[in-house]
Coordinates of all heavy atoms in Angstrom, one line a residue:
F299 N 41.5 56.9 8.5 CA 41.3 55.6 9.1 C 42.3 55.3 10.2 O 43.5 55.5 10.0 CB 41.4 54.5 8.1 CG 41.3 53.1 8.6 CD1 40.1 52.5 9.2 CD2 42.6 52.4 8.7 CE1 40.2 51.3 9.7 CE2 42.6 51.1 9.2 CZ 41.3 50.7 9.7
H300 N 41.9 54.8 11.3 CA 42.8 54.5 12.5 C 42.3 53.0 12.7 O 41.3 52.7 13.1 CB 42.7 55.3 13.7 CG 43.0 56.7 13.4 ND1 44.1 57.2 13.5 CD2 42.1 57.7 13.2 CE1 44.2 58.5 13.3 NE2 42.9 58.9 13.0
S301 N 43.4 52.1 12.6 CA 42.9 50.7 12.9 C 42.8 50.5 14.5 O 43.6 51.1 15.3 CB 44.0 49.7 12.4 OG 45.2 49.7 13.2
F302 N 41.9 49.6 14.9 CA 41.8 49.3 16.3 C 43.1 48.7 16.9 O 43.5 48.9 17.9 CB 40.7 48.3 16.5 CG 39.3 49.1 16.8 CD1 38.6 49.6 15.7 CD2 38.9 49.2 18.1 CE1 37.4 50.4 16.1 CE2 37.7 49.8 18.3 CZ 36.9 50.4 17.2
K303 N 43.8 48.0 16.1 CA 45.0 47.3 16.5 C 46.1 48.4 16.7 O 46.8 48.4 17.8 CB 45.6 46.4 15.3 CG 47.1 46.0 15.4 CD 47.3 44.9 16.3 CE 48.9 44.5 16.2 NZ 49.2 44.0 15.0
K304 N 46.2 49.4 15.9 CA 47.2 50.4 16.2 C 46.9 51.3 17.3 O 47.6 51.5 18.3 CB 47.3 51.3 15.0 CG 48.4 52.4 15.1 CD 48.4 53.2 13.7 CE 49.6 54.1 13.6 NZ 49.4 55.4 14.5
V305 N 45.7 51.6 17.6 CA 45.2 52.5 18.6 C 45.4 51.7 19.9 O 45.9 52.2 20.9 CB 43.8 53.0 18.5 CG1 43.3 53.8 19.7 CG2 43.6 53.8 17.3
L306 N 44.9 50.4 19.9 CA 45.0 49.5 21.1 C 46.6 49.4 21.5 O 46.9 49.5 22.8 CB 44.5 48.1 20.8 CG 44.8 47.1 21.9 CD1 44.0 47.4 23.2 CD2 44.2 45.7 21.3
T307 N 47.4 49.3 20.6 CA 48.9 49.1 21.0 C 49.4 50.4 21.5 O 50.2 50.5 22.5 CB 49.6 48.7 19.7 OG1 49.1 47.6 19.1 CG2 51.1 48.5 20.0
E308 N 49.0 51.5 21.0 CA 49.5 52.8 21.3 C 49.0 53.3 22.7 O 49.5 54.1 23.3 CB 49.3 53.9 20.3 CG 50.2 53.6 19.0 CD 49.9 54.6 17.8 OE1 48.9 55.3 18.0 OE2 50.7 54.6 17.0
L309 N 47.9 52.7 23.1 CA 47.3 53.1 24.4 C 48.2 52.4 25.5 O 48.1 52.9 26.7 CB 45.9 52.5 24.5 CG 44.8 53.3 23.9 CD1 43.3 52.6 24.1 CD2 44.7 54.7 24.6
G310 N 49.0 51.4 25.1 CA 49.9 50.8 26.2 C 49.2 50.0 27.3 O 47.9 49.8 27.0
P311 N 49.9 49.6 28.2 CA 49.3 48.7 29.2 C 48.3 49.5 30.0 O 48.5 50.8 30.2 CB 50.6 48.3 30.1 CG 51.7 49.1 29.7 CD 51.3 49.9 28.3
P312 N 47.3 48.9 30.6 CA 47.1 47.4 30.5 C 46.3 47.0 29.3 O 46.2 45.8 29.0 CB 46.2 47.1 31.8 CG 45.3 48.4 31.9 CD 46.3 49.5 31.5
Y313 N 45.8 48.1 28.5 CA 45.0 47.8 27.4 C 45.7 46.9 26.3 O 45.2 45.8 25.8 CB 44.5 49.0 26.7 CG 43.9 50.0 27.7 CD1 44.6 51.1 28.1 CD2 42.5 49.7 28.2 CE1 44.0 52.0 29.0 CE2 42.0 50.6 29.0 CZ 42.8 51.8 29.5 OH 42.1 52.6 30.3
A314 N 46.9 47.3 25.9 CA 47.6 46.6 24.8 C 48.0 45.2 25.2 O 47.9 44.4 24.3 CB 48.9 47.4 24.4
A315 N 48.2 44.9 26.5 CA 48.5 43.6 26.9 C 47.4 42.6 27.2 O 47.7 41.5 27.2 CB 49.5 43.7 28.1
Q316 N 46.1 43.2 27.3 CA 45.1 42.3 27.7 C 43.9 42.3 27.0 O 43.1 41.3 26.9 CB 44.7 42.7 29.2 CG 45.8 42.5 30.2 CD 45.4 42.9 31.6 OE1 44.3 42.5 32.0 NE2 46.3 43.6 32.3
Q317 N 43.5 43.5 26.3 CA 42.2 43.6 25.6 C 42.2 42.6 24.4 O 43.1 42.8 23.5 CB 42.0 45.1 25.1 CG 40.7 45.2 24.3 CD 39.4 44.8 25.0 OE1 39.2 45.2 26.2 NE2 38.6 44.0 24.3
E318 N 41.1 41.8 24.3 CA 41.1 40.8 23.2 C 40.5 41.5 22.0 O 39.4 42.3 22.2 CB 40.3 39.6 23.6 CG 40.9 38.8 24.8 CD 39.9 38.0 25.5 OE1 39.3 38.7 26.4 OE2 39.6 36.9 25.3
L319 N 41.0 41.2 20.8 CA 40.6 42.0 19.7 C 40.7 41.1 18.5 O 41.7 40.2 18.4 CB 41.4 43.1 19.3 CG 41.2 43.9 18.0 CD1 40.0 44.6 17.9 CD2 42.5 44.8 17.8
A320 N 39.8 41.1 17.5 CA 39.7 40.4 16.2 C 39.5 41.5 15.3 O 38.4 42.1 15.3 CB 38.8 39.2 16.2
S321 N 40.4 41.7 14.2 CA 40.1 42.8 13.2 C 40.1 42.1 11.8 O 40.8 41.2 11.5 CB 41.2 43.8 13.2 OG 42.4 43.4 13.0
F322 N 39.2 42.6 11.0 CA 38.9 41.8 9.7 C 39.1 42.8 8.4 O 38.9 44.1 8.5 CB 37.4 41.4 9.7 CG 37.0 40.6 11.0 CD1 36.6 41.3 12.0 CD2 37.2 39.2 11.0 CE1 36.1 40.6 13.1 CE2 36.8 38.5 12.1 CZ 36.3 39.1 13.2
H323 N 39.6 42.2 7.4 CA 39.8 42.9 6.1 C 39.5 42.0 5.0 O 39.4 40.8 5.1 CB 41.2 43.5 6.2 CG 41.4 44.6 5.1 ND1 40.5 45.2 4.5 CD2 42.6 44.9 4.5 CE1 40.9 46.1 3.6 NE2 42.1 46.0 3.6
S324 N 39.3 42.5 3.9 CA 38.9 41.9 2.6 C 39.4 42.5 1.5 O 39.7 43.7 1.4 CB 37.3 41.9 2.8 OG 36.7 41.5 1.4
V325 N 39.4 41.7 0.4 CA 39.7 42.3 -1.0 C 38.5 42.6 -1.8 O 38.6 43.2 -2.9 CB 40.6 41.2 -1.9 CG1 41.8 40.8 -1.1 CG2 39.8 40.2 -2.4
S326 N 37.3 42.5 -1.2 CA 36.2 42.8 -1.9 C 35.8 44.3 -2.0 O 35.1 44.7 -2.8 CB 35.0 42.1 -1.2 OG 35.1 40.7 -1.2
K327 N 36.4 45.0 -1.1 CA 36.1 46.5 -1.1 C 37.2 47.2 -1.4 O 38.0 46.9 -2.3 CB 35.5 46.8 0.4 CG 34.4 45.9 0.8 CD 33.2 45.9 -0.2 CE 32.3 44.8 0.2 NZ 31.1 44.8 -0.8
G328 N 37.5 48.4 -0.7 CA 38.7 49.3 -1.0 C 38.7 49.7 -2.4 O 37.6 50.0 -3.0
Y329 N 39.8 49.9 -3.1 CA 39.9 50.3 -4.5 C 39.9 48.9 -5.3 O 39.9 49.0 -6.5 CB 41.3 50.9 -4.7 CG 42.5 50.1 -4.3 CD1 43.1 49.4 -5.2 CD2 43.0 50.2 -2.9 CE1 44.2 48.5 -4.8 CE2 44.0 49.4 -2.5 CZ 44.7 48.6 -3.5 OH 45.7 47.8 -3.1
M330 N 40.0 47.8 -4.7 CA 40.2 46.5 -5.3 C 38.8 46.0 -6.0 O 38.8 45.7 -7.2 CB 40.7 45.4 -4.5 CG 42.0 45.8 -3.8 SD 41.8 46.7 -2.2 CE 41.1 45.7 -1.1
G331 N 37.7 45.9 -5.2 CA 36.5 45.4 -5.6 C 36.4 44.1 -6.2 O 35.6 43.7 -7.0
E332 N 37.3 43.1 -5.7 CA 37.4 41.9 -6.1 C 36.5 40.9 -5.3 O 37.0 39.9 -4.7 CB 38.9 41.4 -6.1 CG 39.8 42.1 -7.0 CD 39.6 41.8 -8.6 OE1 38.7 40.9 -8.8 OE2 40.3 42.3 -9.4
C333 N 35.2 41.2 -5.4 CA 34.3 40.4 -4.6 C 34.2 38.9 -4.9 O 34.2 38.1 -4.0 CB 32.9 40.9 -4.7 SG 32.7 42.7 -4.4
G334 N 34.3 38.6 -6.1 CA 34.0 37.1 -6.4 C 35.2 36.2 -6.1 O 35.1 35.1 -6.2
F335 N 36.4 36.7 -5.8 CA 37.5 35.9 -5.4 C 37.4 35.5 -4.0 O 38.1 34.5 -3.6 CB 38.8 36.6 -5.6 CG 39.4 36.5 -6.9 CD1 39.1 37.5 -7.9 CD2 40.1 35.4 -7.5 CE1 39.6 37.5 -9.2 CE2 40.5 35.4 -8.8 CZ 40.3 36.3 -9.5
R336 N 36.5 36.0 -3.1 CA 36.2 35.5 -1.7 C 37.6 35.4 -1.0 O 37.9 34.3 -0.7 CB 35.4 34.3 -1.7 CG 34.2 34.3 -2.6 CD 33.3 35.5 -2.2 NE 32.8 35.6 -0.9 CZ 32.9 36.7 0.0 NH1 33.5 37.8 -0.5 NH2 32.5 36.7 1.2
A337 N 38.1 36.5 -0.7 CA 39.4 36.5 0.0 C 39.4 37.5 1.1 O 39.0 38.7 0.9 CB 40.6 36.7 -0.9
G338 N 39.9 37.2 2.2 CA 40.1 38.2 3.4 C 40.9 37.5 4.4 O 41.5 36.5 4.3
Y339 N 41.0 38.2 5.6 CA 41.7 37.7 6.7 C 41.2 38.3 8.0 O 40.5 39.3 8.1 CB 43.2 38.0 6.5 CG 43.7 39.5 6.8 CD1 43.8 40.0 8.0 CD2 43.8 40.3 5.6 CE1 44.1 41.4 8.1 CE2 44.3 41.7 5.8 CZ 44.4 42.2 7.0 OH 44.7 43.5 7.2
V340 N 41.6 37.6 9.1 CA 41.4 38.1 10.6 C 42.7 38.1 11.2 O 43.4 37.1 11.1 CB 40.3 37.3 11.1 CG1 40.5 35.8 11.2 CG2 40.1 37.9 12.7
E341 N 43.0 39.1 11.9 CA 44.1 39.2 12.8 C 43.5 39.2 14.3 O 42.7 40.0 14.5 CB 45.0 40.3 12.7 CG 46.2 40.4 13.6 CD 47.1 41.7 13.6 OE1 46.6 42.7 13.1 OE2 48.2 41.6 14.1
V342 N 44.0 38.2 15.2 CA 43.6 38.2 16.5 C 44.7 38.7 17.4 O 45.8 38.5 17.1 CB 43.1 36.7 16.9 CG1 41.9 36.4 16.2 CG2 44.2 35.8 16.7
V343 N 44.3 39.4 18.4 CA 45.2 40.0 19.4 C 44.9 39.6 20.8 O 43.6 39.7 21.2 CB 45.2 41.6 19.2 CG1 46.2 42.2 20.3 CG2 45.6 42.0 17.8
N344 N 45.8 39.2 21.6 CA 45.5 38.8 23.0 C 44.5 37.7 23.1 O 43.9 37.5 24.2 CB 45.2 40.0 23.7 CG 46.2 41.0 24.0 OD1 47.3 40.6 24.1 ND2 45.8 42.3 24.0
M345 N 44.4 36.9 22.1 CA 43.4 35.7 22.2 C 44.1 34.7 23.0 O 45.3 34.3 22.8 CB 43.0 35.3 20.8 CG 42.0 34.0 20.8 SD 41.5 33.5 19.3 CE 40.1 34.5 19.1
D346 N 43.4 34.0 23.9 CA 43.8 33.0 24.6 C 44.3 31.9 23.7 O 43.7 31.4 22.7 CB 42.7 32.4 25.5 CG 43.1 31.2 26.3 OD1 43.6 31.3 27.5 OD2 42.9 30.0 25.9
A347 N 45.6 31.2 24.0 CA 46.3 30.4 23.1 C 45.5 29.1 22.9 O 45.4 28.6 21.8 CB 47.6 30.1 23.7
A348 N 44.9 28.6 23.9 CA 44.0 27.4 23.8 C 42.7 27.7 22.8 O 42.4 26.8 22.0 CB 43.5 26.9 25.1
V349 N 42.2 28.9 23.0 CA 41.1 29.2 22.1 C 41.5 29.4 20.8 O 40.8 29.0 19.8 CB 40.3 30.5 22.7 CG1 39.3 30.9 21.8 CG2 39.8 30.3 24.0
Q350 N 42.7 29.9 20.5 CA 43.3 30.1 19.2 C 43.4 28.7 18.4 O 43.2 28.7 17.2 CB 44.6 30.9 19.3 CG 45.0 31.5 18.0 CD 45.9 32.7 18.1 OE1 45.9 33.6 19.1 NE2 46.9 32.8 17.2
Q351 N 43.9 27.8 19.3 CA 43.9 26.4 18.6 C 42.4 25.9 18.3 O 42.4 25.2 17.3 CB 44.6 25.4 19.7 CG 46.0 25.7 19.9 CD 46.6 24.7 20.9 OE1 45.9 23.9 21.6 NE2 47.9 24.7 21.0
Q352 N 41.5 26.2 19.0 CA 40.2 25.7 18.7 C 39.7 26.5 17.5 O 38.9 26.0 16.6 CB 39.2 26.2 19.8 CG 39.4 25.3 21.1 CD 39.2 23.9 20.9 OE1 38.2 23.4 20.3 NE2 40.3 23.0 21.3
M353 N 40.1 27.8 17.3 CA 39.8 28.4 16.1 C 40.4 27.8 14.9 O 39.9 27.8 13.8 CB 40.3 30.0 16.3 CG 39.9 30.9 15.1 SD 40.3 32.5 15.4 CE 40.0 33.4 13.9
Q354 N 41.7 27.4 15.1 CA 42.4 26.7 13.9 C 41.6 25.4 13.5 O 41.4 25.1 12.4 CB 43.8 26.4 14.4 CG 44.6 25.4 13.4 CD 45.1 26.2 12.2 OE1 45.7 27.3 12.3 NE2 44.8 25.6 11.2
K355 N 41.1 24.7 14.6 CA 40.3 23.5 14.4 C 39.1 23.8 13.6 O 38.7 23.1 12.7 CB 40.0 22.7 15.7 CG 39.3 21.6 15.6 CD 38.8 21.0 17.1 CE 37.8 21.9 17.6 NZ 37.3 21.3 19.0
L356 N 38.4 24.8 14.1 CA 37.0 25.3 13.5 C 37.3 25.6 12.0 O 36.5 25.1 11.1 CB 36.5 26.4 14.2 CG 35.1 26.8 14.0 CD1 34.1 25.6 14.3 CD2 34.6 27.9 14.9
M357 N 38.4 26.2 11.6 CA 38.7 26.6 10.2 C 39.1 25.3 9.4 O 38.8 25.3 8.2 CB 39.8 27.6 10.1 CG 39.4 29.0 10.6 SD 40.6 30.2 10.2 CE 39.5 31.7 10.2
S358 N 39.7 24.3 10.1 CA 40.1 23.1 9.4 C 38.9 22.3 8.9 O 39.0 21.6 7.9 CB 41.0 22.3 10.2 OG 40.2 21.7 11.3
V359 N 37.7 22.5 9.6 CA 36.6 21.8 9.2 C 36.2 22.2 7.8 O 35.6 21.3 7.0 CB 35.4 22.0 10.2 CG1 34.1 21.4 9.7 CG2 35.7 21.5 11.5
R360 N 36.4 23.4 7.4 CA 36.1 24.0 6.1 C 37.3 23.7 5.0 O 37.3 24.3 4.0 CB 35.9 25.4 6.1 CG 34.4 25.6 6.8 CD 34.1 27.1 6.6 NE 32.6 27.2 7.2 CZ 32.0 28.3 7.1 NH1 32.7 29.5 6.9 NH2 30.7 28.4 7.6
L361 N 38.4 23.0 5.5 CA 39.5 22.7 4.7 C 40.4 23.8 4.5 O 41.5 24.0 5.1 CB 39.2 22.0 3.4 CG 38.4 20.7 3.5 CD1 38.0 20.1 2.1 CD2 39.2 19.7 4.3
C362 N 40.0 24.8 3.6 CA 40.8 26.0 3.4 C 40.1 27.0 2.7 O 39.1 26.8 2.0 CB 42.1 25.6 2.7 SG 42.0 25.2 1.0
P363 N 40.6 28.3 2.7 CA 39.9 29.3 1.9 C 40.4 29.1 0.5 O 41.3 28.4 0.1 CB 40.6 30.7 2.4 CG 41.4 30.3 3.6 CD 41.7 28.9 3.6
P364 N 39.6 29.7 -0.6 CA 39.9 29.4 -2.0 C 41.3 29.9 -2.3 O 41.8 31.0 -1.8 CB 38.9 30.3 -2.7 CG 37.7 30.5 -1.7 CD 38.3 30.4 -0.3
V365 N 42.1 29.0 -2.8 CA 43.5 29.3 -3.1 C 43.8 30.4 -4.1 O 44.6 31.3 -3.9 CB 44.3 28.0 -3.4 CG1 45.7 28.4 -3.7 CG2 44.2 27.0 -2.3
P366 N 42.9 30.5 -5.2 CA 43.1 31.8 -6.1 C 42.9 32.9 -5.3 O 43.4 34.0 -5.6 CB 42.0 31.4 -7.2 CG 41.9 29.9 -7.2 CD 42.0 29.5 -5.8
G367 N 41.9 33.0 -4.4 CA 41.6 34.2 -3.6 C 42.8 34.5 -2.8 O 43.1 35.6 -2.5
Q368 N 43.5 33.5 -2.2 CA 44.7 33.7 -1.3 C 45.8 34.4 -2.3 O 46.6 35.3 -1.8 CB 45.1 32.4 -0.8 CG 44.3 31.9 0.2 CD 44.8 30.7 1.0 OE1 46.0 30.7 1.4 NE2 44.1 29.4 0.9
A369 N 45.9 33.9 -3.4 CA 46.9 34.4 -4.4 C 46.7 35.9 -4.7 O 47.6 36.7 -4.8 CB 46.9 33.7 -5.7
L370 N 45.3 36.3 -4.9 CA 44.9 37.6 -5.1 C 45.3 38.5 -3.8 O 45.7 39.5 -4.0 CB 43.5 37.7 -5.5 CG 43.1 39.2 -6.0 CD1 43.4 39.3 -7.5 CD2 41.6 39.5 -5.7
L371 N 44.9 37.9 -2.7 CA 45.2 38.6 -1.5 C 46.7 39.0 -1.3 O 47.1 40.1 -0.9 CB 44.8 37.8 -0.3 CG 45.1 38.4 1.1 CD1 44.3 39.7 1.4 CD2 44.7 37.5 2.2
H372 N 47.6 38.1 -1.8 CA 49.0 38.4 -1.8 C 49.3 39.6 -2.6 O 50.1 40.4 -2.1 CB 49.8 37.1 -2.4 CG 51.0 37.5 -3.0 ND1 52.2 37.7 -2.3 CD2 51.4 37.6 -4.3 CE1 53.2 37.9 -3.1 NE2 52.7 38.0 -4.3
M373 N 48.7 39.7 -3.7 CA 48.9 40.9 -4.6 C 48.5 42.1 -3.9 O 49.1 43.2 -4.1 CB 48.5 40.6 -6.0 CG 49.3 39.7 -6.8 SD 48.6 39.3 -8.4 CE 47.5 38.0 -8.1
V374 N 47.3 42.1 -3.3 CA 46.7 43.2 -2.6 C 47.6 43.7 -1.5 O 47.9 45.0 -1.4 CB 45.3 42.9 -2.1 CG1 44.9 44.1 -1.2 CG2 44.3 42.8 -3.1
V375 N 48.1 42.8 -0.6 CA 49.0 43.1 0.5 C 50.4 43.5 0.2 O 51.2 43.9 0.9 CB 48.8 42.3 1.7 CG1 47.3 42.1 2.2 CG2 49.3 40.9 1.3
S376 N 50.8 43.1 -1.1 CA 52.2 43.2 -1.5 C 52.1 44.0 -2.9 O 52.5 43.4 -4.0 CB 52.9 41.9 -1.7 OG 52.9 41.2 -0.5
P377 N 51.7 45.3 -2.9 CA 51.6 45.9 -4.1 C 52.9 46.2 -4.7 O 53.9 46.1 -4.0 CB 50.9 47.3 -3.7 CG 51.2 47.4 -2.3 CD 51.4 46.0 -1.6
P378 N 53.0 46.8 -6.0 CA 54.3 47.0 -6.5 C 55.1 48.0 -5.8 O 54.6 49.1 -5.3 CB 53.9 47.6 -7.9 CG 52.6 47.2 -8.2 CD 51.8 47.0 -6.8

Side-chain angles (χ1 to χ4, degrees):
F299 171 75
H300 301 277
S301 79
F302 268 78
K303 160 81 175 296
K304 183 175 190 287
V305 176
L306 173 61
T307 306
E308 291 177 345
L309 280 175
Y313 310 103
Q316 298 180 42
Q317 177 59 49
E318 296 153 276
L319 168 70
S321 58
F322 308 90
H323 195 19
S324 166
V325 305
S326 298
K327 309 304 176 184
Y329 59 91
M330 303 83 71
E332 296 286 3
C333 302
F335 277 96
R336 308 307 302 128
Y339 71 79
V340 55
E341 181 188 21
V342 295
V343 178
N344 293 326
M345 179 177 274
D346 181 88
V349 173
Q350 199 158 321
Q351 289 180 351
Q352 295 297 311
M353 183 171 174
Q354 173 75 50
K355 178 185 74 176
L356 198 53
M357 289 188 154
S358 70
V359 173
R360 292 186 168 180
L361 299 179
C362 70
V365 178
Q368 294 185 53
L370 188 91
L371 177 63
H372 154 77
M373 288 178 271
V374 168
V375 299
S376 304

